[in-house]
């Protein structure tokens, strides 16, 4: 069998690339070794975690948030098995959706482990060990990433007591004490889930702030809000050991700056210290494909590896490990393979942390602008001054707009607050079109909406806000 494009891996990068390639008239196949399509994101990542984040938030909100609105109910009762069944059903509908889209777009899907034999040749080994060899003009590596573990620490992740995100979305009971190693996105999202459901969650983070790389002001306020929700933090703390002890585990950490060790007991330890590109068993070395010093497939601006006809996108290449970044690369690469001008604007890739409140950003942080020596101006608007936020008792947080001091072009927008993950996109569209804070501030926004806080922050950037 011969194809124009074979995509190895059907996560958001791979499946989107395949669909776009088929839409553009290329004969396309995908290879997937999991029993279902959609990769980490749909099966064990973004989608199931959002199902649990939503359900646990409804639980916590019902318990603590609605009496003030005049809605009085008896204390909610948790049915964890049902919550997990909801999560599983959401995963199923999404992975089935990908299968439907493959059929609709006449994409051949092969179940099994894909391996690059050489440029133009890919083998698929199924569960029974049967090998099929396929020919193709182009190979796309979209194999994603895997749990990295704790650098320099041997940890036995059994996905029951010591869990990665995979076990962290499938616990059969709420732990009394959970220790989260790593105050990044996974740690704070899944830590929030279990904290809302009743666990005492302690986060141990190496850096001096949570969500390293996030705007510093946002990160500080976010930590205060999570602490108010009951999470405990040890920052500037390096985890040096995670071991099973009895039915639970012990986590040992020490101050990064030096000092005494601390040992914490936990029923469950969530290891959330990052992910690494997944290239195992792909035959890349044999095919002569070069990896960079961090194990990522090295590519040029057109997603080409050093071997003609072999391309790579998503978590397996450089850049943020985000589903939407992988999707956009998939589209751009399919366009390039179809002879069009595919392109991704890496300056405008939003990032969202789906906690409560949500944290969202696009573009540069103040710290990045300072480090680059860019002259900028900042405008801020708090949700406490937004009518809709007051009506919903969702006044925690603010919007911050950063714009070039001379040209007023918006360089970054950072939001912490209810629905931030949706609000951020007007900033993304504005930035994609090279808009200024004045453009944003002069755009009519419906009243009363949370989005007005974005407009007011823009007004504050180029002149003055009205409602403050
Ligand atoms: P991360 O890189 O976001 O955070 C890992 C944290 O662990 C870092 O803050 C690091 O300083 C800390 N750490 C490392 N070694 C440590 C040690 N020995 N002791 C204490 N702390 C230590 O990685 P995370 O949260 O595992 O996520 C993996 C990837 O998945 C990220 O690239 C993330 O962007 C992506 N992701 C994105 C989501 C979203 O966009 N909402 C949701 C979940 C994951």
């Amino acid at each position: 069998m011969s194809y124009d494009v074979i995509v190895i891996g059907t996560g958001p990068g791979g499946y989107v690339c395949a669909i776009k390639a088929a839409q553009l008239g290329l004969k396309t196949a995908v290879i997937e070794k999991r029993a279902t399509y959609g990769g980490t994101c749909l099966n064990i990542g973004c989608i199931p975690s959002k199902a649990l984040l939503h359900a646990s938030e409804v639980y916590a909100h019902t318990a603590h948030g609605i009496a003030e609105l005049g809605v009085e109910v008896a204390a909610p009762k948790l049915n964890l098995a049902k919550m997990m069944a909801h999560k599983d059903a959401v995963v199923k509908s999404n992975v089935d959706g990908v299968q439907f889209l493959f059929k609709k777009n006449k994409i051949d899907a092969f179940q099994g482990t894909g391996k690059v034999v050489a440029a133009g040749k890919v083998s698929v080994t199924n569960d029974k060990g049967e090998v099929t060899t396929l020919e193709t003009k182009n190979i796309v590596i979209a194999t994603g990433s895997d749990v990295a573990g704790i650098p320099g620490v041997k940890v036995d992740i059994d996905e029951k007591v010591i869990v990665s995100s995979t076990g962290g979305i499938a616990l059969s009971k709420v732990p009394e004490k959970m220790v989260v190693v790593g105050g990044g996105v996974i740690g704070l999202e899944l830590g929030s889930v279990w904290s809302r459901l009743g666990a005492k969650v302690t986060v141990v983070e190496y850096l001096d702030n949570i969500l390293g790389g996030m705007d510093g002001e946002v990160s500080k306020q976010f930590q205060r809000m999570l602490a108010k929700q009951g999470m405990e933090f040890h920052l500037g703390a390096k985890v040096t050991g995670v071991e099973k002890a009895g039915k639970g585990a012990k986590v040992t950490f020490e101050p990064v700056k030096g000092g005494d060790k601390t040992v914490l007991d936990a029923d469950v330890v969530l290891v959330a210290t990052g992910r690494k590109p997944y290239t195992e068993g792909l035959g890349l070395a044999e095919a002569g494909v070069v990896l960079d010093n961090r194990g990522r497939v090295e590519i040029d601006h057109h997603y080409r590896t050093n071997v003609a006809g072999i391309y790579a996108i998503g978590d397996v290449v450089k850049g943020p490990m985000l589903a939407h970044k992988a999707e956009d690369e998939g589209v751009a690469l399919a366009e390039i393979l179809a002879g069009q001008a595919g392109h991704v604007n890496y300056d405008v890739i939003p990032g969202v942390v789906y906690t409560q409140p949500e944290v969202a950003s696009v573009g540069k942080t103040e710290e990045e602008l300072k480090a680059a020596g860019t002259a900028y101006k900042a405008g801020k608007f708090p949700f406490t001054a937004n009518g809709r936020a007051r009506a919903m008792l969702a006044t925690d947080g603010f919007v911050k707009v950063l714009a070039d001091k001379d040209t007023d072009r918006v360089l970054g927008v950072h939001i912490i607050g209810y629905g931030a993950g949706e609000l951020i996109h007007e900033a993304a569209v504005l930035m994609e079109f090279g808009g200024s804070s004045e453009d944003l501030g002069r755009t009519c926004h419906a009243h009363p909406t949370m989005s007005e806080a974005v407009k007011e922050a823009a007004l504050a950037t180029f002149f003055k806000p009205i409602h403050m």
Side-chain angles (χ1 to χ4, degrees), residues 10 19 31 56 110 125 132 150 154 175 188 247 270 285 291 310 314 326 344 369 384 397 399 440 451 454 462:
T10 64
I19 291 171
I31 304 174
S56 61
F110 295 87
T125 309
T132 310
I150 306 174
K154 199 176 150 353
L188 299 177
K247 282 190 181 153
L270 170 67
L291 305 183
I310 304 181
V344 175
L369 292 175
T384 42
V399 180
L440 184 48
S451 302
V454 180
F462 79 89

Side-chain angles (χ1 to χ4, degrees), residues 49-50 150-151 153 181-187 189 204-207 209 211-212 237-240 271-275 320-322 324 351-354:
S49 64
K50 262 79 263 178
I150 306 174
V153 181
V181 186
V185 194
I186 293 183
E189 286 188 353
V204 187
E205 165 56 46
Y206 184 92
L207 301 174
N209 58 318
L211 288 182
K238 181 182 177 184
V239 169
T240 54
V271 177
T273 42
R275 299 180 60 84
M321 288 184 169
L322 295 172
H324 42 283
V352 178
V353 188
Y354 298 88

